[in-house]
Amino acid sequence: MSISSTDREAPALTGSLGTGSIVFMVVAAAAPLTVVSGTVPLGIALGDGAAFPATFVICCAVLMLFAVGYSAMTPHVPQAGAFYSYVRHGLGRANGRGAAYLALVTYTAVQLAVYGYLGAVAADLVGHYGGPALPWWLWSGVALVGVGVLGYRHIDLSGKVLGVLLLCEVGIVLALDTVIVADGGPSGPSTAFLRPEQIGSGSLGLGLVFAVASYLGFEATAIFRDEARDPDRTIPRATYLSLLLIGGFYTLSSWALVSAWGDEQAVRAAGSDPGGMLLTTIERDLGGTASDVAQVLLLTSLFAAALSFHNVLARYGFSLGASGALPRLCGSRHARHGSPHLASLLQSACAAVLVAVCAAAGMDPVAQVFAWLAGTATLGILLLMSLTCLAVIVHFRRSRQDRRLWHTLAAPALGLLGLVGCLVLAVANFPLLIGGSTALAAVLGLVPLVAFLVGAGLSLKRGPRPSDEAATSTVPEAV
């Protein structure tokens, strides 16, 4: 596919990110410590019990199939718009614009969810050590300012900060894993995740939904295309490596947590105190000091996730501003930092307004802000990845730019089936996932779909731009 003059002349971000830096960005967005301390106990209690670690393996396999087509298409998509650019190239301008609006809503929802959880964790931590009892939204605001400052500056600075925070949060969980593996647990190492009858017990569907939500953020590697040192190689490598690291870490750590208690006792412990299960385990096996450190690292884990999603949103805003889908100012690049500074400022302002709205509405930061918005984001990201798989298949059937059957058809098609299956399970379990009523679930569940339809509708209403016609006219029709 040739690149139109408009695409060539659009301002590009600058940077020299290698595979490691991008991996730090996306793995930090997954918030590993937050997942192990929050999602894993819920998956054990409400999902498939002691076999819950197997769901991480299943989800990793499905997402690896997605990554095959995603990576194969990377050299043929010159813009750093991630899902927006991929869907646009494969399914046309209207679907691409719909995917762009869907992505903005999805990542905004998950970032707001993180700010809510962060504010609650910070308030509890300060109160635990005798500090003043301040409202959660104040701590969220402090974090928002820090994220905004880092997001405004060069991406390399964010990469370094995220790298340090990520190593710290992963380090303490791996230390716990090591102690548990060496000790063997009260009943020996758990084998539940290897037994099919255990994997199928309980609610496997809800377990898969919790597991796939834990990978949220890994797919954002392509958004850093312009800032990568060698994007055609760096982006695919970072995508595969991020998936393997996240999947391996979650599988190992959830298995270790089950082994630390024993199969039956782990289910009881997760059901009685899901939020405190990990910290209780750390205190018992590593000591009180390690538990205190883990509480602080949980806070930094959430900060790292907020920063990662801020960077992703700012780059979506930059790409959409450059293409005219958002105000052109959003497509401006900072002269010194080479960052999407105006898109970053706009994102910070939007986040501040949304946090203020949640606070004014008296919403609980965990049970409502986090649960509702994280659940909504899970539906959005599954829909986005499904559209991207379909776009990969259609693009290569039309263009014939890559004739590898596995990379361009078989793997994306299998990935699409798996993602659609996860989306169906997520919709079916959505009321339980958000902890609300069926009516609330229906309203929140429609948000991603409405965002997509609004974006597609606005694109059709405005009619095709000359650059879009030039970009798509060179793509051969399917034979």
Side-chain angles (χ1 to χ4, degrees):
M1 178 183 292
S2 65
I3 306 171
S4 69
S5 59
T6 301
D7 291 330
R8 284 195 300 267
E9 293 169 2
L13 301 176
T14 60
S16 58
L17 297 175
T19 301
S21 296
I22 296 177
V23 168
F24 279 136
M25 293 278 184
V26 297
V27 176
L33 180 56
T34 303
V35 169
V36 176
S37 66
T39 305
V40 168
L42 288 174
I44 294 172
L46 303 176
D48 45 340
F52 180 64
T55 60
F56 286 121
V57 179
I58 295 171
C59 287
C60 187
V62 171
L63 295 176
M64 284 294 284
L65 293 170
F66 162 83
V68 171
Y70 190 61
S71 298
M73 197 166 171
T74 296
H76 308 290
V77 182
Q79 299 88 4
F83 289 134
Y84 154 62
S85 296
Y86 285 65
V87 174
R88 176 175 174 270
H89 272 67
L91 302 180
R93 177 174 175 264
N95 288 313
R97 184 68 60 85
Y101 279 61
L102 173 58
L104 286 175
V105 169
T106 296
Y107 287 115
T108 297
V110 74
Q111 189 191 43
L112 184 58
V114 170
Y115 277 130
Y117 197 2
L118 183 152
V121 169
D124 289 345
L125 186 64
V126 171
H128 176 73
Y129 290 105
L134 299 175
W136 67 269
W137 51 264
L138 182 61
W139 297 112
S140 297
V142 172
L144 199 153
V145 171
V147 165
V149 170
L150 290 171
Y152 184 89
R153 296 174 62 83
H154 199 282
I155 189 65
D156 289 341
L157 177 59
S158 290
K160 292 174 183 177
V161 172
L162 290 172
V164 173
L165 297 180
L166 181 63
L167 289 174
C168 290
E169 64 176 291
V170 168
I172 194 165
V173 178
L174 289 179
L176 176 65
D177 294 345
T178 302
V179 170
I180 293 171
V181 170
D183 178 68
S187 306
S190 173
T191 59
F193 79 107
L194 299 174
R195 301 200 298 272
E197 70 277 8
Q198 290 291 323
I199 297 173
S201 66
S203 177
L204 176 60
L206 189 56
L208 286 170
V209 172
F210 280 122
V212 76
S214 302
Y215 286 89
L216 191 65
F218 92 90
E219 74 293 333
T221 50
I223 201 70
F224 300 103
R225 178 183 178 88
D226 285 347
E227 295 153 289
R229 188 177 300 127
D230 182 5
D232 289 348
R233 296 189 179 200
T234 300
I235 300 304
R237 288 175 181 173
T239 302
Y240 287 124
L241 186 56
S242 297
L243 259 180
L244 291 173
L245 288 175
I246 293 171
F249 178 79
Y250 288 162
T251 303
L252 170 64
S253 300
S254 57
W255 167 80
L257 191 60
V258 171
S259 298
W261 292 83
D263 291 353
E264 295 182 2
Q265 184 60 29
V267 175
R268 287 194 290 269
S272 62
D273 184 20
M277 184 181 183
L278 178 67
L279 293 177
T280 299
T281 309
I282 291 175
E283 184 173 6
R284 185 189 68 191
D285 292 355
L286 298 181
T289 300
S291 179
D292 291 339
V293 171
Q295 292 183 60
V296 175
L297 291 177
L298 177 58
L299 183 61
T300 62
S301 171
L302 290 164
F303 179 83
L307 176 58
S308 295
F309 285 118
H310 174 93
N311 285 331
V312 170
L313 276 163
R315 280 147 188 82
Y316 261 109
F318 174 85
S319 179
L320 293 174
S323 69
L326 288 179
R328 291 284 181 181
L329 284 175
C330 291
S332 300
R333 183 187 67 191
H334 194 280
R336 182 159 62 93
H337 299 304
S339 63
H341 61 303
L342 294 182
S344 177
L345 288 174
L346 178 62
Q347 165 54 28
S348 295
C350 289
V353 169
L354 290 172
V355 168
V357 169
C358 292
M363 296 176 66
D364 183 275
V366 177
Q368 295 177 320
V369 177
F370 179 77
W372 293 0
L373 295 174
T376 303
T378 300
L379 296 183
I381 205 67
L382 286 170
L383 180 57
L384 275 169
M385 288 194 289
S386 298
L387 286 169
T388 303
C389 272
L390 182 59
V392 170
I393 295 171
V394 173
H395 169 76
F396 285 118
R397 292 309 93 197
R398 286 178 176 171
S399 70
R400 307 295 184 185
Q401 291 174 317
D402 188 332
R403 296 183 180 273
R404 294 174 297 174
L405 187 63
W406 172 253
H407 292 75
T408 64
L409 180 60
L414 291 172
L416 177 60
L417 288 175
L419 288 167
V420 170
C422 289
L423 181 58
V424 170
L425 289 172
V427 171
N429 290 279
F430 196 55
L432 184 58
L433 185 64
I434 66 169
S437 66
T438 302
L440 176 64
V443 172
L444 292 177
L446 285 174
V447 170
L449 180 60
V450 169
F452 175 82
L453 293 176
V454 167
L458 289 175
S459 178
L460 292 172
K461 183 178 179 180
R462 292 178 60 183
R465 294 166 55 227
S467 62
D468 292 317
E469 293 176 346
T472 57
S473 63
T474 58
V475 181
E477 292 298 322
V479 178

